[in-house]
Amino acid sequence: MASESASASQWVSPSSRPEHIEQLISGVDRYNPQNLDVLHDYLAQQLDDGSYDLLANLAILKLYQFNPADFNYVVVINILLKALVAAPLPDFNLCISLLGEAPLPTIPVKAEKEAADDAASLPGDDDEEDVAEKPKDVPSAGHLTDALIVRLSELSTLLFQARFREFWTTLASEPYADVREYAAKISEFENAARKVALNSVKGSFTSISEKRIGSYLNLAGAQLHEFINAQPGWKLADATVSVPANPDNEIKASVIREEITLDQMHKFLAQAQSPLLRA
């Protein structure tokens, strides 16, 4: 419980947040578009040093929502990438939910269907509006159909579902070259994704094979040894990784004892007697 409380505290007010940002996002100034430059600079700091502040980034998206003319696509992608590797927290979906008014392609409710051949149309067809529902197989992130944001959403889903091998394979694929280009400019992006995998393993294993965890982390050999041994409490030796004990992976025998007094037993037996015996 203490660790969960500390984690929640870091989510609301991370220790890396400067005092002037704390004051800005805690008051009405967060709705002042003149503060966008300050928040943009703070986001740039997060990209450079690997820190993360969701509430400050949400403040940027909220300002974009109120001031569409200030919308910056690159900033949005960077915010989504930072939120993506915060899984299993719902940060990515929170960010997507604030892009409803953004100048981005979205799923249309209905699309006009043009006649293939005007000459073949029946009399009276011109008087009726021919509409067709959008095909259901159009990929989207929420209601957004921007290709890059959709790819980020797919990666977010893979991390959230702990499909780590598929995450790395997908990220390395050709269609995701633009994602890698953006991610390369974010300090510790891949290591942040690896820590998502470590947190998942920590809640399920007490030990795990080197090969298996290597596939989750997309690391092998000396790089894997260095990364694992740099994590507090983790140890890689003899092709096996020892996972630090925590409330989620500790195996504890529990003994449940119920004490029943003689009077309680007497009442219980009396109620259990058949009607004939009670008679």
Side-chain angles (χ1 to χ4, degrees), residues 101-131:
E101 305 299 324
L104 293 167
T106 59
I107 297 174
V109 178
K110 290 185 177 181
E112 289 189 359
K113 183 181 179 182
E114 297 181 355
D117 187 357
D118 292 339
S121 61
L122 296 175
D125 282 352
D126 293 339
D127 298 333
E128 298 181 2
E129 183 181 6
D130 192 7
V131 295

mmCIF file of all heavy atoms in Angstrom, residues 101-131:
data_model
loop_
_atom_site.group_PDB
_atom_site.id
_atom_site.type_symbol
_atom_site.label_atom_id
_atom_site.label_comp_id
_atom_site.label_asym_id
_atom_site.label_seq_id
_atom_site.Cartn_x
_atom_site.Cartn_y
_atom_site.Cartn_z
ATOM 1 N N GLU A 101 -10.877 17.858 -30.327
ATOM 2 C CA GLU A 101 -11.068 19.061 -31.134
ATOM 3 C C GLU A 101 -9.835 19.393 -31.968
ATOM 4 O O GLU A 101 -9.769 20.456 -32.583
ATOM 5 C CB GLU A 101 -11.393 20.247 -30.213
ATOM 6 C CG GLU A 101 -12.578 20.021 -29.288
ATOM 7 C CD GLU A 101 -13.861 19.758 -30.045
ATOM 8 O OE1 GLU A 101 -14.044 20.376 -31.114
ATOM 9 O OE2 GLU A 101 -14.666 18.928 -29.584
ATOM 10 N N ALA A 102 -8.861 18.502 -31.967
ATOM 11 C CA ALA A 102 -7.610 18.784 -32.678
ATOM 12 C C ALA A 102 -7.821 18.755 -34.191
ATOM 13 O O ALA A 102 -8.675 18.017 -34.696
ATOM 14 C CB ALA A 102 -6.553 17.760 -32.285
ATOM 15 N N PRO A 103 -7.053 19.551 -34.919
ATOM 16 C CA PRO A 103 -7.147 19.546 -36.391
ATOM 17 C C PRO A 103 -6.471 18.313 -36.977
ATOM 18 O O PRO A 103 -5.428 18.391 -37.625
ATOM 19 C CB PRO A 103 -6.430 20.845 -36.781
ATOM 20 C CG PRO A 103 -5.459 21.093 -35.677
ATOM 21 C CD PRO A 103 -6.123 20.591 -34.431
ATOM 22 N N LEU A 104 -7.076 17.163 -36.727
ATOM 23 C CA LEU A 104 -6.544 15.884 -37.188
ATOM 24 C C LEU A 104 -7.643 15.117 -37.905
ATOM 25 O O LEU A 104 -8.833 15.320 -37.629
ATOM 26 C CB LEU A 104 -6.037 15.057 -35.997
ATOM 27 C CG LEU A 104 -4.811 15.591 -35.250
ATOM 28 C CD1 LEU A 104 -4.640 14.853 -33.929
ATOM 29 C CD2 LEU A 104 -3.557 15.445 -36.104
ATOM 30 N N PRO A 105 -7.277 14.225 -38.817
ATOM 31 C CA PRO A 105 -8.304 13.420 -39.493
ATOM 32 C C PRO A 105 -9.029 12.516 -38.505
ATOM 33 O O PRO A 105 -8.416 11.913 -37.625
ATOM 34 C CB PRO A 105 -7.503 12.605 -40.517
ATOM 35 C CG PRO A 105 -6.099 12.621 -40.018
ATOM 36 C CD PRO A 105 -5.923 13.923 -39.306
ATOM 37 N N THR A 106 -10.347 12.450 -38.654
ATOM 38 C CA THR A 106 -11.167 11.653 -37.745
ATOM 39 C C THR A 106 -12.107 10.756 -38.537
ATOM 40 O O THR A 106 -12.257 10.893 -39.753
ATOM 41 C CB THR A 106 -12.006 12.557 -36.826
ATOM 42 O OG1 THR A 106 -12.848 13.388 -37.636
ATOM 43 C CG2 THR A 106 -11.113 13.435 -35.962
ATOM 44 N N ILE A 107 -12.748 9.853 -37.824
ATOM 45 C CA ILE A 107 -13.722 8.962 -38.447
ATOM 46 C C ILE A 107 -14.987 9.759 -38.764
ATOM 47 O O ILE A 107 -15.593 10.337 -37.863
ATOM 48 C CB ILE A 107 -14.080 7.798 -37.509
ATOM 49 C CG1 ILE A 107 -12.845 6.944 -37.229
ATOM 50 C CG2 ILE A 107 -15.194 6.947 -38.102
ATOM 51 C CD1 ILE A 107 -13.080 5.860 -36.208
ATOM 52 N N PRO A 108 -15.402 9.805 -40.024
ATOM 53 C CA PRO A 108 -16.652 10.504 -40.346
ATOM 54 C C PRO A 108 -17.846 9.660 -39.929
ATOM 55 O O PRO A 108 -17.798 8.432 -39.975
ATOM 56 C CB PRO A 108 -16.589 10.657 -41.867
ATOM 57 C CG PRO A 108 -15.746 9.514 -42.325
ATOM 58 C CD PRO A 108 -14.739 9.264 -41.225
ATOM 59 N N VAL A 109 -18.897 10.320 -39.505
ATOM 60 C CA VAL A 109 -20.103 9.585 -39.129
ATOM 61 C C VAL A 109 -20.733 8.956 -40.351
ATOM 62 O O VAL A 109 -21.122 7.802 -40.367
ATOM 63 C CB VAL A 109 -21.106 10.525 -38.431
ATOM 64 C CG1 VAL A 109 -22.380 9.773 -38.094
ATOM 65 C CG2 VAL A 109 -20.485 11.109 -37.183
ATOM 66 N N LYS A 110 -20.816 9.731 -41.410
ATOM 67 C CA LYS A 110 -21.344 9.225 -42.674
ATOM 68 C C LYS A 110 -20.510 9.788 -43.815
ATOM 69 O O LYS A 110 -19.961 10.877 -43.719
ATOM 70 C CB LYS A 110 -22.807 9.625 -42.853
ATOM 71 C CG LYS A 110 -23.754 8.907 -41.904
ATOM 72 C CD LYS A 110 -25.196 9.240 -42.215
ATOM 73 C CE LYS A 110 -26.137 8.470 -41.308
ATOM 74 N NZ LYS A 110 -27.554 8.756 -41.599
ATOM 75 N N ALA A 111 -20.394 9.061 -44.870
ATOM 76 C CA ALA A 111 -19.633 9.521 -46.035
ATOM 77 C C ALA A 111 -20.520 9.477 -47.265
ATOM 78 O O ALA A 111 -21.228 8.491 -47.486
ATOM 79 C CB ALA A 111 -18.406 8.634 -46.239
ATOM 80 N N GLU A 112 -20.481 10.532 -48.012
ATOM 81 C CA GLU A 112 -21.294 10.561 -49.228
ATOM 82 C C GLU A 112 -20.734 9.572 -50.244
ATOM 83 O O GLU A 112 -19.530 9.475 -50.445
ATOM 84 C CB GLU A 112 -21.296 11.963 -49.821
ATOM 85 C CG GLU A 112 -22.084 12.961 -49.006
ATOM 86 C CD GLU A 112 -22.240 14.274 -49.739
ATOM 87 O OE1 GLU A 112 -21.710 14.377 -50.859
ATOM 88 O OE2 GLU A 112 -22.888 15.159 -49.194
ATOM 89 N N LYS A 113 -21.619 8.842 -50.856
ATOM 90 C CA LYS A 113 -21.224 7.843 -51.846
ATOM 91 C C LYS A 113 -21.566 8.359 -53.239
ATOM 92 O O LYS A 113 -22.725 8.626 -53.531
ATOM 93 C CB LYS A 113 -21.960 6.533 -51.570
ATOM 94 C CG LYS A 113 -21.565 5.411 -52.513
ATOM 95 C CD LYS A 113 -22.347 4.162 -52.187
ATOM 96 C CE LYS A 113 -21.987 3.039 -53.126
ATOM 97 N NZ LYS A 113 -22.780 1.832 -52.853
ATOM 98 N N GLU A 114 -20.543 8.534 -54.052
ATOM 99 C CA GLU A 114 -20.764 9.049 -55.400
ATOM 100 C C GLU A 114 -21.236 7.928 -56.317
ATOM 101 O O GLU A 114 -20.806 6.787 -56.195
ATOM 102 C CB GLU A 114 -19.467 9.653 -55.939
ATOM 103 C CG GLU A 114 -18.976 10.846 -55.136
ATOM 104 C CD GLU A 114 -17.708 11.422 -55.728
ATOM 105 O OE1 GLU A 114 -17.193 10.821 -56.698
ATOM 106 O OE2 GLU A 114 -17.246 12.453 -55.219
ATOM 107 N N ALA A 115 -22.089 8.288 -57.237
ATOM 108 C CA ALA A 115 -22.584 7.305 -58.205
ATOM 109 C C ALA A 115 -21.462 6.920 -59.158
ATOM 110 O O ALA A 115 -20.713 7.771 -59.623
ATOM 111 C CB ALA A 115 -23.745 7.896 -58.997
ATOM 112 N N ALA A 116 -21.323 5.640 -59.408
ATOM 113 C CA ALA A 116 -20.259 5.178 -60.297
ATOM 114 C C ALA A 116 -20.529 5.586 -61.741
ATOM 115 O O ALA A 116 -19.619 5.865 -62.500
ATOM 116 C CB ALA A 116 -20.116 3.665 -60.186
ATOM 117 N N ASP A 117 -21.785 5.603 -62.097
ATOM 118 C CA ASP A 117 -22.125 5.949 -63.483
ATOM 119 C C ASP A 117 -23.433 6.723 -63.468
ATOM 120 O O ASP A 117 -24.492 6.162 -63.195
ATOM 121 C CB ASP A 117 -22.257 4.672 -64.315
ATOM 122 C CG ASP A 117 -22.444 4.966 -65.793
ATOM 123 O OD1 ASP A 117 -22.519 6.158 -66.165
ATOM 124 O OD2 ASP A 117 -22.520 4.000 -66.568
ATOM 125 N N ASP A 118 -23.346 8.038 -63.700
ATOM 126 C CA ASP A 118 -24.550 8.862 -63.663
ATOM 127 C C ASP A 118 -25.568 8.419 -64.710
ATOM 128 O O ASP A 118 -26.776 8.500 -64.499
ATOM 129 C CB ASP A 118 -24.189 10.332 -63.897
ATOM 130 C CG ASP A 118 -23.392 10.901 -62.735
ATOM 131 O OD1 ASP A 118 -23.479 10.312 -61.633
ATOM 132 O OD2 ASP A 118 -22.684 11.903 -62.931
ATOM 133 N N ALA A 119 -25.079 7.929 -65.828
ATOM 134 C CA ALA A 119 -25.992 7.534 -66.905
ATOM 135 C C ALA A 119 -26.818 6.328 -66.514
ATOM 136 O O ALA A 119 -27.927 6.130 -67.020
ATOM 137 C CB ALA A 119 -25.207 7.234 -68.176
ATOM 138 N N ALA A 120 -26.262 5.500 -65.598
ATOM 139 C CA ALA A 120 -26.968 4.282 -65.210
ATOM 140 C C ALA A 120 -27.932 4.511 -64.061
ATOM 141 O O ALA A 120 -28.655 3.596 -63.674
ATOM 142 C CB ALA A 120 -25.965 3.199 -64.830
ATOM 143 N N SER A 121 -27.959 5.722 -63.511
ATOM 144 C CA SER A 121 -28.833 5.977 -62.374
ATOM 145 C C SER A 121 -30.285 5.999 -62.812
ATOM 146 O O SER A 121 -30.623 6.416 -63.916
ATOM 147 C CB SER A 121 -28.462 7.312 -61.723
ATOM 148 O OG SER A 121 -28.634 8.362 -62.638
ATOM 149 N N LEU A 122 -31.139 5.523 -61.922
ATOM 150 C CA LEU A 122 -32.559 5.461 -62.220
ATOM 151 C C LEU A 122 -33.191 6.832 -62.045
ATOM 152 O O LEU A 122 -32.697 7.667 -61.287
ATOM 153 C CB LEU A 122 -33.241 4.463 -61.285
ATOM 154 C CG LEU A 122 -32.780 3.003 -61.433
ATOM 155 C CD1 LEU A 122 -33.440 2.161 -60.363
ATOM 156 C CD2 LEU A 122 -33.114 2.478 -62.828
ATOM 157 N N PRO A 123 -34.295 7.087 -62.727
ATOM 158 C CA PRO A 123 -34.998 8.365 -62.559
ATOM 159 C C PRO A 123 -35.389 8.567 -61.097
ATOM 160 O O PRO A 123 -35.887 7.654 -60.448
ATOM 161 C CB PRO A 123 -36.236 8.198 -63.451
ATOM 162 C CG PRO A 123 -35.840 7.173 -64.462
ATOM 163 C CD PRO A 123 -34.916 6.233 -63.749
ATOM 164 N N GLY A 124 -35.157 9.766 -60.633
ATOM 165 C CA GLY A 124 -35.516 10.081 -59.251
ATOM 166 C C GLY A 124 -34.385 9.869 -58.273
ATOM 167 O O GLY A 124 -34.478 10.274 -57.124
ATOM 168 N N ASP A 125 -33.287 9.207 -58.719
ATOM 169 C CA ASP A 125 -32.166 8.963 -57.819
ATOM 170 C C ASP A 125 -31.500 10.259 -57.379
ATOM 171 O O ASP A 125 -30.963 10.354 -56.283
ATOM 172 C CB ASP A 125 -31.118 8.068 -58.492
ATOM 173 C CG ASP A 125 -31.553 6.609 -58.488
ATOM 174 O OD1 ASP A 125 -32.566 6.321 -57.831
ATOM 175 O OD2 ASP A 125 -30.882 5.791 -59.141
ATOM 176 N N ASP A 126 -31.525 11.275 -58.265
ATOM 177 C CA ASP A 126 -30.857 12.527 -57.940
ATOM 178 C C ASP A 126 -31.548 13.269 -56.808
ATOM 179 O O ASP A 126 -30.973 14.158 -56.202
ATOM 180 C CB ASP A 126 -30.805 13.440 -59.170
ATOM 181 C CG ASP A 126 -29.907 12.859 -60.256
ATOM 182 O OD1 ASP A 126 -29.051 12.020 -59.899
ATOM 183 O OD2 ASP A 126 -30.073 13.234 -61.427
ATOM 184 N N ASP A 127 -32.800 12.889 -56.540
ATOM 185 C CA ASP A 127 -33.548 13.585 -55.502
ATOM 186 C C ASP A 127 -33.249 13.047 -54.114
ATOM 187 O O ASP A 127 -33.678 13.607 -53.120
ATOM 188 C CB ASP A 127 -35.059 13.460 -55.765
ATOM 189 C CG ASP A 127 -35.430 14.117 -57.090
ATOM 190 O OD1 ASP A 127 -34.693 15.041 -57.498
ATOM 191 O OD2 ASP A 127 -36.427 13.688 -57.702
ATOM 192 N N GLU A 128 -32.542 11.917 -54.035
ATOM 193 C CA GLU A 128 -32.262 11.296 -52.749
ATOM 194 C C GLU A 128 -30.766 11.327 -52.465
ATOM 195 O O GLU A 128 -29.945 11.137 -53.349
ATOM 196 C CB GLU A 128 -32.750 9.842 -52.740
ATOM 197 C CG GLU A 128 -34.261 9.721 -52.934
ATOM 198 C CD GLU A 128 -34.691 8.270 -52.903
ATOM 199 O OE1 GLU A 128 -33.804 7.413 -52.700
ATOM 200 O OE2 GLU A 128 -35.880 8.004 -53.077
ATOM 201 N N GLU A 129 -30.432 11.582 -51.225
ATOM 202 C CA GLU A 129 -29.024 11.605 -50.818
ATOM 203 C C GLU A 129 -28.579 10.184 -50.514
ATOM 204 O O GLU A 129 -29.159 9.506 -49.668
ATOM 205 C CB GLU A 129 -28.846 12.482 -49.575
ATOM 206 C CG GLU A 129 -27.393 12.609 -49.158
ATOM 207 C CD GLU A 129 -27.246 13.462 -47.918
ATOM 208 O OE1 GLU A 129 -28.286 13.840 -47.356
ATOM 209 O OE2 GLU A 129 -26.117 13.727 -47.521
ATOM 210 N N ASP A 130 -27.590 9.735 -51.257
ATOM 211 C CA ASP A 130 -27.090 8.374 -51.080
ATOM 212 C C ASP A 130 -25.907 8.418 -50.127
ATOM 213 O O ASP A 130 -24.866 8.980 -50.449
ATOM 214 C CB ASP A 130 -26.660 7.811 -52.433
ATOM 215 C CG ASP A 130 -26.405 6.319 -52.377
ATOM 216 O OD1 ASP A 130 -26.704 5.738 -51.321
ATOM 217 O OD2 ASP A 130 -25.909 5.760 -53.368
ATOM 218 N N VAL A 131 -26.071 7.863 -48.934
ATOM 219 C CA VAL A 131 -25.006 7.891 -47.940
ATOM 220 C C VAL A 131 -24.627 6.481 -47.556
ATOM 221 O O VAL A 131 -25.423 5.555 -47.661
ATOM 222 C CB VAL A 131 -25.434 8.678 -46.677
ATOM 223 C CG1 VAL A 131 -25.667 10.125 -47.016
ATOM 224 C CG2 VAL A 131 -26.664 8.048 -46.041
#
